[in-house]
């Protein structure tokens, strides 16, 4: 079980029967609004409400890597673009859908929906 609190710390709980072990995996120092696993569960996106997206690879147990920072564009959400784990898609409140390369955070493409977007 992966969990993140307001402090921006990614925590892993290994639960087996009635016992658990807690491990701090990463500290991004920003409140995390959502955690999204890749379709094959090899990568985890940590999305902050400030518009920063980090990637964490549980098998490598390293630090979370900042992929992109969209803080100036009223960022709403991000997710993996399937199939595969190579791309991420994000959306802004203005209706701009953006595609990013997960390997290095390179901006690849955008599409303007022409409408304001809200999360419900």
């Amino acid at each position: 079980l992966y969990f993140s609190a307001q402090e921006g710390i990614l925590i892993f709980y290994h639960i087996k029967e009635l016992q658990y072990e807690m491990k701090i995996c990463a500290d991004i120092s920003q409140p995390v609004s959502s955690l999204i696993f890749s379709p094959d569960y090899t990568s985890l996106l940590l999305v902050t409400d400030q518009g920063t997206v980090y990637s964490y690879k549980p098998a490598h147990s390293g630090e979370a890597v900042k992929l992109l920072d969209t803080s100036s564009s009223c960022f709403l959400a991000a997710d993996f673009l399937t199939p595969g784990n190579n791309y991420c898609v994000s959306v802004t409140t203005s209706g701009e859908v953006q595609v990013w390369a997960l390997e290095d955070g390179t901006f690849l493409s955008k599409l303007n929906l022409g409408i304001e977007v809200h999360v419900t």
Side-chain angles (χ1 to χ4, degrees), residues 28-34 45-55 65-73 75-78 88 90:
I28 61 170
S29 302
Q30 294 180 25
V32 175
S33 58
S34 61
L45 289 183
L46 294 91
V47 181
T48 72
D49 41 358
Q50 283 108 8
T52 310
V53 178
Y54 293 84
S55 174
V65 176
K66 185 190 281 188
L67 290 178
L68 57 114
D69 189 348
T70 61
S71 57
S72 62
S73 62
F75 177 84
L76 276 180
C88 167
S90 64

Side-chain angles (χ1 to χ4, degrees), residues 10-103:
L10 178 64
I11 299 169
F12 172 70
Y13 285 98
H14 180 251
I15 303 168
K16 187 174 182 179
E17 296 176 5
L18 297 176
Q19 298 192 13
Y20 71 92
E21 178 184 337
M22 183 184 90
K23 175 186 172 190
I24 295 177
C25 299
D27 182 358
I28 61 170
S29 302
Q30 294 180 25
V32 175
S33 58
S34 61
L35 300 171
I36 304 119
F37 262 107
S38 62
D40 65 359
Y41 297 98
T42 59
S43 296
L44 182 65
L45 289 183
L46 294 91
V47 181
T48 72
D49 41 358
Q50 283 108 8
T52 310
V53 178
Y54 293 84
S55 174
Y56 178 78
K57 296 188 183 283
H60 297 117
S61 298
E63 278 296 309
V65 176
K66 185 190 281 188
L67 290 178
L68 57 114
D69 189 348
T70 61
S71 57
S72 62
S73 62
C74 301
F75 177 84
L76 276 180
D79 202 347
F80 286 92
L81 187 59
T82 57
N85 301 334
N86 300 325
Y87 305 100
C88 167
V89 63
S90 64
V91 65
T92 66
T93 55
S94 64
E96 186 172 272
V97 177
Q98 304 159 333
V99 178
W100 308 86
L102 284 173
E103 184 175 327

